[in-house]
Amino acid sequence: MKGLHVGGLSRLVDLWAFALRLSTGFFWLFFASQRWLDISWVRDLFTTAALNNYLPVYGALLRTLVDSWYYVALFVTVAETAIGLMLVLGIFPRLAGGVGALIALNLLLTFSFCDCPWNTADAPMVFWFYFSAFLLNLAVVREQHTILSLRRR
């Protein structure tokens, strides 16, 4: 009876890992898709965040990238799309989760630590949104996946 319980628990853990991977992948695909057809709206958002970021070194880095906003937005869009597809299809999900965690951390530092209208309205929501994305991606990195996303112990 004890072996049956362990096997059931193992399947539940596998199901959790699968749901985590899929939901994180669809998270990235949803936000990347917002820029697939029109990337121009990113300019004002990125410029506002960069010019008003109050982290000394990171804010200075963002301000140097303001003139290259299009390439930054294009790179992030392509990276988010690739991460989402890799997670949904189960291709190198730990690598995708690691890169996703870096992008989520970048978004957290960019949009949560600035004197911007969205932070004035609801700073805790902005912070926790990006911080949660960071933690979800770290959870994907922690999972032991194969290329087909079948859990092996």
Side-chain angles (χ1 to χ4, degrees), residues 46-57:
F46 181 74
T47 303
T48 300
L51 296 178
N52 296 303
N53 193 292
Y54 50 79
L55 296 175
V57 175

Side-chain angles (χ1 to χ4, degrees), residues 6-27:
V6 171
L9 184 60
S10 177
R11 277 183 251 140
L12 184 62
V13 170
D14 290 342
L15 181 62
W16 162 251
F18 180 71
L20 173 69
R21 182 176 56 81
L22 281 183
S23 60
T24 306
F26 284 120
F27 168 89

Side-chain angles (χ1 to χ4, degrees), residues 33 40 52 138:
S33 72
S40 63
N52 296 303
L138 288 180

Side-chain angles (χ1 to χ4, degrees), residues 44-102:
D44 292 336
L45 186 72
F46 181 74
T47 303
T48 300
L51 296 178
N52 296 303
N53 193 292
Y54 50 79
L55 296 175
V57 175
Y58 194 76
L61 173 65
L62 290 175
R63 286 184 281 283
T64 63
L65 295 172
V66 166
D67 292 334
S68 304
W69 73 267
Y70 179 81
Y71 299 108
V72 171
L74 187 63
F75 173 78
V76 170
T77 302
V78 169
E80 288 178 356
T81 302
I83 290 165
L85 288 173
M86 289 171 70
L87 288 170
V88 168
L89 298 175
I91 302 169
F92 302 113
R94 294 178 78 190
L95 174 64
V99 175
L102 290 175

Side-chain angles (χ1 to χ4, degrees), residues 3 5 31 38 43-44 46 49 65 87 96 99 110-111 113 141 149:
H5 177 67
F31 286 103
D38 181 21
R43 181 179 184 207
D44 292 336
F46 181 74
L65 295 172
L87 288 170
V99 175
T110 301
F111 295 112
F113 296 97
V141 170
S149 297

